Amino acid sequence: MGAGHGGGLAAAYVPGDSPVHRLEPHTKLVAVLTFALVVVATPVHAGWAPLAYAGFLLLLLTVAGVARVRPGRLLRGLVVEVPFVLFAVLLPFVSRGPRTDVLGLSLSESGLAAGGSILAKATLSVLAATLLAATTDARGLLRGLERLRLPTVLVQILSFMIRYTDVVGGELRRMQVARESRGFRGRHLGALKVLGPAAGSLFIRSYERGERVHLAMLSRGYTGRLPSGPVAVAGGRAWATALSLPLAAVAVLAGGSLLG
Amino acid sequence: MSTPTPSLLVDDLAFAYPDGHQALYGVDLRLEPGERVALLGPNGAGKTTLVLHLNGILRGGRGRVEVAGLPVEDRNLPEVRRRVGIVFQDPDDQLFMPTVGEDVAFGPRNLGLPEAEVARRVADALAAVDMADAADRPPHHLSFGQRRRVAVATVLSMQPEVLVLDEPSSNLDPAGRRELAEVLQALPITLLMVTHDLPYALQLCPRSVVLDGGVVVADGTTRELLADPELLAAHRLELPFGFDPRAVS
Ligand SMILES: Nc1ncnc2c1ncn2[C@@H]1O[C@H](COP(=O)(O)OP(=O)(O)OP(=O)(O)O)[C@@H](O)[C@H]1O
Ligand SMILES: [Mg+2]
């Protein structure tokens, strides 16, 4: 239904009909959030931490298998993580404390552990979020957030963002075409003199559109709340299925700390 | 005078924008139930300003507006907005929900109707504009003409007393323009259509009102108004090249 929404957002969703796709969005949101919390709670310096990370990864891959989300899709989801990777790679170089030699480089041991675990935790959390996005369309995510009592204003802002990404993107493209049709090239610093005002005018256009949309909403009886359609009730089964992921993660964590 | 209650009554309406710009200087207008009227006039004449008064978006000037006998004032706003459906010029402003179906349901849900009734109204409104298959599609996947028609459906679903359209034929290709005309012609409803498209006014509206400089300068049958070259020229109205209103039956 929501496939194709909002350009970049649309690309995240992989249409399908797996049990994971069918779960109520808000149960999946809670599941992913608690999973990420469990992952983050894993002690960095415990000797068994790498085993726990492997266990978490196995859990996620199982879910991906059930949802029939391809590995390539998961890897693409990891792109957002790149800045963290850079930071994590820096840590062993800049941290203090006992050093160890790897391939002739002198690295900090605690930096290595911290960097490695930042990387592992970020990767696992991003993978979980990617799975969520791949199995839930944008509309469903919004409904989920709404059911979780996220302030309506925030949900509405997100919903308008999805609806108007393309419209504003189209405006941006048209302005760009208009500029370039008149011989503009944005490759040198002087271009900022043109691009600054262009950004300003895009903002004003968007602001004015916002006003017009608001008028259109008022004209149809809007009173500050987006009316929601019929809501399906998530039964105990749905919650149990969704929460099996974070619960399994807790089990991994508990196993690790008992054995370690 | 006081025969049946008019669908729309505008009495001596004057309005200045907050920046002091006076846009309306005492407008009178009366639409009988079922009447189809074109509102003509040059850019800046005050047409959109007038339209925004019809459902109380703009208020606070002199004069009075009544919709089917109900005065447009604070305590009546919800009912007034149900009775007057405004279709704005840019369908992207009008269609803000993620899917067409939800957008058409927006108004009825705001009215607090039960879900079964909402579903029925959505189906009826989409059928009336010949867009029944589009309910689950996101608005931005539709062509411009289809979006314009869905925009009409979003207000039809509120079962308004008066349908007001601001430049409905602008940016439509000839086929889209004709399809919209067919849709509008089939609606048994009071219609006020703001337009620069004079042949469209002639085709759809037996009566026209010309607004210029914030006052009504002419009100009569569309055919007679369009056959008056001096009137047209005085108010920057122009027929397309070669168009003869007297030759159209
Ligand atoms: N928000 C505003 N603030 C101040 N002045 C405004 C505002 N909106 C419109 N006006 C002015 O009011 C006058 C009437 O504008 P209006 O938009 O009603 O014209 P219109 O007849 O709809 O024109 P068009 O055919 O171009 O749509 C114009 O002179 C316009 O500049
Ligand atoms: Mg206008």
Side-chain angles (χ1 to χ4, degrees):
Chain A
M1 169 167 124
H5 273 306
L9 288 165
Y13 181 60
V14 183
D17 191 33
S18 72
V20 186
H21 282 84
R22 282 196 300 269
L23 274 179
E24 279 293 315
H26 64 296
T27 63
K28 283 190 270 188
L29 276 164
V30 172
V32 166
L33 195 65
T34 38
F35 176 82
L37 287 177
V38 175
V39 168
V40 171
T42 312
V44 175
H45 295 288
W48 49 268
L51 271 179
Y53 297 143
F56 298 148
L57 184 64
L58 197 67
L59 290 176
L60 287 179
L61 292 180
T62 314
V63 176
V66 173
R68 296 204 195 80
V69 175
R70 300 243 180 79
R73 177 72 199 79
L74 290 180
L75 284 179
R76 260 181 290 133
L78 288 179
V79 172
V80 297
E81 205 200 354
V82 169
F84 291 94
V85 175
L86 293 180
F87 179 62
V89 167
L90 275 181
L91 272 185
F93 293 96
V94 299
S95 290
R96 292 149 187 261
R99 302 244 140 197
T100 163
D101 279 334
V102 179
L103 300 171
L105 292 173
S106 163
L107 302 176
S108 149
E109 270 173 24
S110 70
L112 211 54
S117 78
I118 286 185
L119 203 57
K121 289 177 176 182
T123 307
L124 288 164
S125 308
V126 170
L127 279 180
T130 306
L131 273 176
L132 174 68
T135 58
T136 321
D137 64 18
R139 180 79 201 108
L141 281 177
L142 287 179
R143 252 186 297 125
L145 290 171
E146 201 167 26
R147 304 246 346 236
L148 294 175
R149 309 279 154 80
L150 193 77
T152 1
V153 180
L154 286 183
V155 178
Q156 289 180 25
I157 290 175
L158 288 172
S159 145
F160 290 136
M161 198 180 81
I162 292 172
R163 168 65 182 88
Y164 286 102
T165 310
D166 292 278
V167 175
V168 175
E171 241 149 51
L172 187 65
R173 263 190 306 282
R174 282 197 296 278
M175 286 167 65
Q176 192 180 349
V177 168
R179 272 199 308 272
E180 288 175 8
S181 309
R182 285 184 279 155
F184 175 78
R185 278 170 201 280
R187 307 236 183 280
H188 49 95
L189 215 57
L192 285 179
K193 271 214 279 285
V194 176
L195 293 179
S201 101
L202 185 68
F203 173 76
I204 293 189
R205 285 194 202 190
S206 305
Y207 182 83
E208 287 176 346
R209 180 176 300 277
E211 277 190 324
R212 292 198 305 273
V213 171
H214 188 232
L215 285 189
M217 295 175 73
L218 287 179
S219 298
R220 287 197 275 150
Y222 174 74
T223 51
R225 259 200 93 254
L226 280 194
S228 59
V231 278
V233 189
R237 282 275 295 279
W239 278 111
T241 317
L243 292 183
S244 59
L245 174 70
L247 288 177
V250 170
V252 169
L253 201 60
S257 48
L258 283 180
L259 299 176
Chain B
M1 167 83 196
S2 61
T3 30
T5 324
S7 271
L8 198 63
L9 183 70
V10 178
D11 182 25
D12 193 29
L13 186 69
F15 179 79
Y17 279 100
D19 67 354
H21 184 99
Q22 184 89 23
L24 300 177
Y25 292 88
V27 171
D28 296 297
L29 185 64
R30 183 187 167 103
L31 266 64
E32 302 305 333
E35 223 182 350
R36 289 211 293 265
V37 178
L39 183 59
L40 313 175
N43 290 136
K47 303 181 296 294
T48 301
T49 309
L50 174 59
V51 164
L52 291 177
H53 276 87
L54 301 182
N55 73 350
I57 295 272
L58 292 181
R59 263 169 307 151
R62 187 183 77 211
R64 141 184 98 97
V65 178
E66 276 179 21
V67 183
L70 188 72
V72 175
E73 45 188 58
D74 266 334
R75 63 197 163 87
N76 295 334
L77 278 191
E79 178 58 16
V80 162
R81 288 179 183 167
R82 188 196 67 70
R83 292 188 188 187
V84 181
I86 299 185
V87 180
F88 291 93
Q89 189 172 350
D90 184 349
D92 276 328
D93 296 342
Q94 183 109 18
L95 306 176
F96 42 78
M97 296 294 277
T99 67
V100 165
E102 279 172 276
D103 213 300
V104 179
F106 179 84
R109 281 187 182 137
N110 280 329
L111 298 178
L113 296 174
E115 223 23 66
E117 170 72 6
V118 171
R120 205 176 52 74
R121 290 209 183 181
V122 170
D124 288 352
L126 283 175
V129 299
D130 202 14
M131 289 295 295
D133 325 327
D136 286 337
R137 301 183 61 192
H140 65 261
H141 283 182
L142 305 177
S143 78
F144 194 86
Q146 291 174 322
R147 270 181 280 164
R148 184 62 57 71
R149 263 151 50 207
V150 171
V152 173
T154 62
V155 301
L156 286 184
S157 63
M158 297 180 80
Q159 301 191 342
E161 171 88 23
V162 189
L163 181 63
V164 181
L165 302 138
D166 200 349
E167 302 191 23
S169 66
S170 63
N171 294 325
L172 289 183
D173 64 14
R177 181 175 173 277
R178 176 183 47 74
E179 284 162 3
L180 183 69
E182 283 162 7
V183 165
L184 295 178
Q185 222 141 23
L187 295 175
I189 192 175
T190 312
L191 194 83
L192 182 67
M193 181 173 93
V194 175
T195 189
H196 294 290
D197 183 343
L198 302 184
Y200 216 51
L202 183 61
Q203 182 185 355
L204 287 171
C205 304
R207 176 181 159 208
S208 286
V209 173
V210 181
L211 193 71
D212 195 359
V215 289
V216 173
V217 292
D219 184 344
T221 66
T222 309
R223 184 180 299 274
E224 276 166 18
L225 291 185
L226 297 193
D228 182 346
E230 278 107 70
L231 175 81
L232 296 187
H235 303 292
R236 299 175 56 85
L237 299 172
E238 285 184 19
L239 292 164
F241 178 74
F243 183 84
D244 180 1
R246 279 154 304 191
V248 182
S249 61

